[in-house]
Amino acid sequence: MGNRGERVALADRKSCIALVQEAVNAGAGRAASCQILEVSLRSVERWEEDPERSDGRAGPLTPSPQSLTEAEKKMIIEVSTQPLYLDLCPWKIVAKLADSGRYIASESSFYRVLKQADLLKHRSKSKPREHKRPKDLIARRPNQVWSWDITYLKSPVKGIYYYLYLMMDVYSRMIVGWAIEEVESAEHAARLMDRTCMEQGILKAQLTLHADNGGPMKGATMLATLQNLGVAPSFSRPSVSDDNPFSESLFKTLKYRPSYPDGAFASLEEAQTWVTKFVDWYNTEHLHSGIRFVTPQSRHQGVDAQILENRHAVYQKAKFANPARWSGETRDWSVITEVRLNPGKEKKLEHEKLGSSDFRVDRGQGKSSSLPQ
């Protein structure tokens, strides 16, 4: 509705009172309704006391002598759009003007005028740099698309951490490789990648590895290893956490395990022992919600189809025994045939309707992801 201290016309006041009353009648709270309208509850209560009363403040009759003139505002825009100052922020513009013996206005005045003219973010003719969404990756079988990341594990020394490197298969959700190191480095990541590819029998041009933009992910040693292995790299956009949702969701599952320590791991060996047990549980016992509640290992080995077929037969038998309890089809126990990593909006809607893909759009990092696995 308006900023604090801003005049509100009588017609707008009446409209605001009516909207709040309508929301309250529908079951909403007055305070919440006022917050949505960007007006304080106290202001609405004051307006309701006398709905016909307009704003009584007279306001300044003359402009402040300290205000910038229109000529000064125009000069700020002209100077800021000159080639010499196009790519500079107001602080640097003011400093350069001072070096040349000129003063037009303060930095805050420059910010205010440029913001009003929509010239604060980008003033040059060239387009600002854009980070495009990563390529839509599709996994239709195991060992086709992997995702990996690094998370911190607390050590006994405050401020020092152990680093868990974790690689997972996007199609099956199985953890295919992991390591705990005392430092983050592309060399450690490269050794883990080389070992994991050998264990999984990865051939050249078979696999795409997705990661974020961290140093170990884009280090020269890691990239050289991927090239030698014939693995195609894929990276998230800078500062976009949900471009790598599978790894982020896995880290949440890991750190929300009941056995995960509230404090620090006593030693590197203790951390390795705990992660070993977690990986075994996650791969062989954990019924993953994104793959029809089968274990990642069973899907990775291709036995999930038989498990799901058996479940479907159980449900069909139950429906036949008591059809009155079923108003439609039984639960969908079909195999998820493909998984997409970072699908576009159109692709996501299309495949959600077909029910052929699993989409996870987990937000945040580590423990902040909210979707279950």
Side-chain angles (χ1 to χ4, degrees):
M1 182 65 70
N3 298 324
R4 185 179 297 275
E6 182 180 318
R7 287 188 177 83
V8 180
L10 182 59
D12 291 335
R13 291 187 178 201
K14 292 182 178 180
S15 176
C16 180
I17 293 172
L19 289 172
V20 171
Q21 188 59 48
E22 182 180 347
V24 171
N25 292 339
R30 286 173 61 83
S33 304
C34 292
Q35 186 177 5
I36 293 174
L37 293 173
E38 298 182 357
V39 63
S40 70
L41 176 60
R42 182 68 190 95
S43 294
V44 174
E45 291 173 344
R46 189 174 64 253
W47 297 344
E48 289 175 337
E49 293 174 359
D50 189 357
E52 298 299 328
R53 182 181 178 183
S54 60
D55 196 321
R57 293 174 293 179
L61 300 178
T62 58
S64 171
Q66 287 82 22
S67 299
L68 293 175
T69 63
E70 292 301 320
E72 288 172 325
K73 293 179 181 179
K74 185 178 180 181
M75 187 180 299
I76 288 176
I77 295 175
E78 289 177 352
V79 168
S80 301
T81 52
Q82 291 176 5
L84 181 62
Y85 304 107
L86 270 177
D87 298 319
L88 301 181
C89 67
W91 284 90
K92 294 182 179 181
I93 295 175
V94 169
K96 280 188 169 291
L97 288 174
D99 290 341
S100 64
R102 294 181 64 190
Y103 176 85
I104 301 175
S106 66
E107 294 88 343
S108 60
S109 296
F110 266 81
Y111 271 109
R112 185 170 59 254
V113 173
L114 291 177
K115 183 177 182 180
Q116 291 173 349
D118 197 23
L119 293 172
L120 190 57
K121 291 185 178 179
H122 193 76
R123 299 188 296 278
S124 61
K125 292 183 180 180
S126 62
K127 292 183 178 180
R129 183 180 178 184
E130 296 181 357
H131 297 290
K132 295 183 179 179
R133 173 177 286 277
K135 181 182 178 182
D136 180 11
L137 300 176
I138 307 174
R140 296 188 175 92
R141 60 183 181 275
N143 295 332
Q144 190 173 15
V145 180
W146 287 359
S147 170
W148 85 281
D149 204 348
I150 300 174
T151 190
Y152 300 160
L153 303 178
K154 289 183 179 180
S155 77
V157 182
K158 186 176 181 180
I160 297 180
Y161 301 91
Y162 303 129
Y163 298 91
L164 173 59
Y165 298 61
L166 211 56
M167 295 183 176
M168 71 179 301
D169 184 274
V170 168
Y171 177 83
S172 66
R173 307 301 204 280
M174 191 175 88
I175 298 172
V176 292
W178 66 275
I180 301 179
E181 306 290 350
E182 295 183 299
V183 294
E184 282 186 299
S185 73
E187 289 74 18
H188 288 318
R191 282 197 291 270
L192 173 61
M193 186 63 193
D194 189 57
R195 184 180 76 239
T196 306
C197 284
M198 185 178 299
E199 292 173 352
Q200 293 293 320
I202 302 300
L203 304 176
K204 287 184 178 293
Q206 173 184 342
L207 177 68
T208 298
L209 180 68
H210 184 75
D212 61 25
N213 274 267
M217 291 74 175
K218 305 189 79 170
T221 305
M222 180 61 170
L223 294 179
T225 299
L226 295 180
Q227 185 175 13
N228 292 335
L229 293 171
V231 175
S234 170
F235 298 104
S236 303
R237 290 168 291 181
S239 303
V240 181
S241 62
D242 61 348
D243 278 352
N244 194 14
F246 294 97
S247 289
E248 299 297 346
S249 186
L250 173 57
F251 286 155
K252 180 192 172 180
T253 302
L254 180 144
K255 293 188 176 181
Y256 272 82
R257 281 292 291 161
S259 59
Y260 188 81
D262 294 330
F265 287 98
S267 64
L268 180 63
E269 291 72 24
E270 182 181 286
Q272 290 172 333
T273 300
W274 188 90
V275 174
T276 299
K277 294 179 180 178
F278 169 80
V279 171
D280 181 67
W281 167 82
Y282 187 87
N283 284 344
T284 64
E285 298 180 40
H286 175 48
L287 301 181
H288 198 298
S289 65
I291 50 177
R292 300 277 195 255
F293 295 97
V294 298
T295 64
Q297 181 172 289
S298 64
R299 180 166 167 85
H300 201 77
Q301 295 175 346
V303 299
D304 61 319
Q306 186 61 52
I307 295 172
L308 295 173
E309 184 177 337
N310 293 341
R311 291 179 184 175
H312 177 69
V314 170
Y315 271 63
Q316 291 298 313
K317 183 178 179 180
K319 182 179 180 180
F320 180 79
N322 199 338
R325 291 182 178 177
W326 305 84
S327 59
E329 296 296 327
T330 60
R331 181 169 179 172
D332 183 8
W333 290 116
S334 61
V335 177
I336 295 173
T337 57
E338 66 178 35
V339 181
R340 287 178 177 263
L341 178 62
N342 296 316
K345 292 183 179 178
E346 296 80 7
K347 288 286 185 183
K348 180 178 178 180
L349 292 174
E350 173 187 345
H351 285 266
E352 280 180 337
K353 290 179 180 178
L354 294 175
S356 61
S357 299
D358 171 52
F359 294 93
R360 299 192 65 80
V361 191
D362 301 341
R363 305 282 177 180
Q365 300 180 355
K367 288 191 176 183
S368 61
S369 177
S370 58
L371 291 183
Q373 280 202 2

